[in-house]
Amino acid sequence: MPVPSPYADRLSRLTVQRHEVEVRGARTAYWVYGSHDAETTILAVHGFRGDHHGLESVIAFLPEACVIAPDLPGFGESTPAPGTRYDLDEYVAWLREFAASVAPGAVILGHSFGSIVTSAAVAAGLETPKLILVNPIGAPALEGPKGVMTRLAVLYYALGARLPESLGTALLRNRVIVRVMSIAMAKTSDPVLRRFIHDQHDTYFSLFADRDVLRDAFVASVSHDVSQYAASIDVPTLLIAAQRDDITPIEVERELATRFADAELVEIAHVGHLIHYETPAEAAGAIRRYLRIPVARGR
């Protein structure tokens, strides 16, 4: 039985529409939260292994904006293009084409792996008035204090790709391993919130199209980071970072902010890599202030 979201009441007040569009030879599913008439439109790109549901908790606290949230190709309800290798260049090309078709001129937001994709796309010419990065991946994944854990993850995804297909896919969708990942990332001591987080990962972390798509996305996620693109980004950028993030330490995020031409860093205490689940109100508040979105009465 699904675990109720602590943010379900807020989310239920938003109008939500599902759409599909053809992008680079495949079907991209996306969801529109809020009114198309809103003064601010945000295009939100989720992280590795997840889908658009991962950002719904933050979206629930942005009722004044129109938020467009696609599933990355090969994840959730979006299909991959046959024969396509999904390296970072392909994700960038997909995002630029999707944005031009569905949300030209929108504010671009990326979480975790989405921070890499969006940063690379903006650096490559994707037009946006502002860029927002939540839990940005600010340094090479194979370096730093968690380099050993990343190398173990590399072995895990490599094994999943090399085993016979049924065995490899079963390993990559193994619920015990998914739960270990979830436990490692969650910092909250609230049992209700922890159950919700684990249920979200149980439900959505294995909705990838096939193991090739997952392997490609993982390789892209550990082969690149936001610091590679920061100096080439000239639009105002907001970084929302966690003081207990095990993937990118806060000291690295502080240094990363200095690499942009125009950047603001907001730090959130007592949380790790799951800002979008554990402190969505704080993240949305930072976004609202940065974009100067007025708070609607009754919200």
Side-chain angles (χ1 to χ4, degrees):
M1 181 177 178
V3 177
S5 167
Y7 318 108
D9 180 62
R10 280 184 165 274
L11 196 61
S12 69
R13 302 176 204 173
L14 301 180
T15 59
V16 184
Q17 296 180 324
R18 183 192 182 279
H19 301 274
E20 292 182 359
V21 65
E22 189 84 6
V23 181
R24 297 186 65 77
R27 184 186 74 248
T28 292
Y30 67 97
W31 286 256
V32 179
Y33 299 81
S35 173
H36 283 285
D37 296 329
E39 292 186 8
T40 302
T41 299
I42 300 171
L43 171 53
V45 180
H46 65 78
F48 175 65
R49 282 194 72 144
D51 66 8
H52 71 283
H53 288 95
L55 292 172
E56 280 192 332
S57 298
V58 177
I59 295 169
F61 288 91
L62 293 169
E64 306 86 1
C66 173
V67 182
I68 298 172
D71 285 345
L72 287 169
F75 292 89
E77 297 182 31
S78 292
T79 61
T84 299
R85 177 171 173 253
Y86 280 95
D87 56 14
L88 186 60
D89 287 343
E90 181 59 31
Y91 280 116
V92 166
W94 165 82
L95 180 57
R96 294 183 68 183
E97 186 171 317
F98 176 82
S101 174
V102 174
V107 172
I108 303 296
L109 181 151
H111 171 258
S112 190
F113 176 51
S115 74
I116 301 175
V117 174
T118 55
S119 294
V122 172
L126 173 59
E127 293 187 5
T128 180
K130 291 184 178 180
L131 174 64
I132 299 171
L133 307 176
V134 182
N135 285 121
I137 306 299
L142 295 174
E143 298 178 6
K146 294 297 177 179
V148 172
M149 293 301 294
T150 302
R151 287 180 173 84
L152 290 176
V154 169
L155 293 175
Y156 166 67
Y157 286 103
L159 183 60
R162 291 172 185 168
L163 286 170
E165 185 171 358
S166 60
L167 290 176
T169 301
L171 174 66
L172 294 170
R173 290 194 168 118
N174 184 276
R175 291 177 65 87
V176 174
I177 295 176
V178 169
R179 179 55 60 90
V180 169
M181 294 178 189
S182 187
I183 291 172
M185 289 188 288
K187 301 300 182 185
T188 180
S189 58
D190 182 338
V192 174
L193 185 53
R194 288 185 72 89
R195 283 197 297 273
F196 168 67
I197 291 169
H198 298 332
D199 181 69
Q200 288 284 291
H201 288 145
D202 288 347
T203 304
Y204 301 115
F205 245 41
S206 294
L207 297 183
F208 51 88
D210 56 55
R211 62 180 182 170
D212 293 333
V213 165
L214 185 64
R215 178 202 59 215
D216 288 351
F218 176 74
V219 171
S221 73
V222 299
S223 302
H224 305 275
D225 64 89
V226 176
S227 69
Q228 295 174 262
Y229 309 102
S232 299
I233 295 173
D234 57 8
V235 301
T237 302
L238 172 65
L239 290 78
I240 303 176
Q243 292 185 350
R244 297 180 62 194
D245 196 333
D246 293 325
I247 294 178
T248 302
I250 192 61
E251 295 80 10
V252 175
E253 302 284 33
R254 291 167 183 162
E255 194 278 331
L256 174 65
T258 67
R259 300 193 180 198
F260 290 85
D262 180 0
E264 177 181 327
L265 172 65
V266 172
E267 299 182 16
I268 301 181
H270 313 302
V271 67
H273 201 64
L274 303 182
I275 283 176
H276 58 311
Y277 286 138
E278 297 187 32
T279 56
E282 290 86 340
I287 293 168
R288 182 182 289 107
R289 290 189 296 273
Y290 193 70
L291 299 181
R292 299 181 180 178
I293 301 174
V295 178
R297 291 184 178 182
R299 300 288 187 174

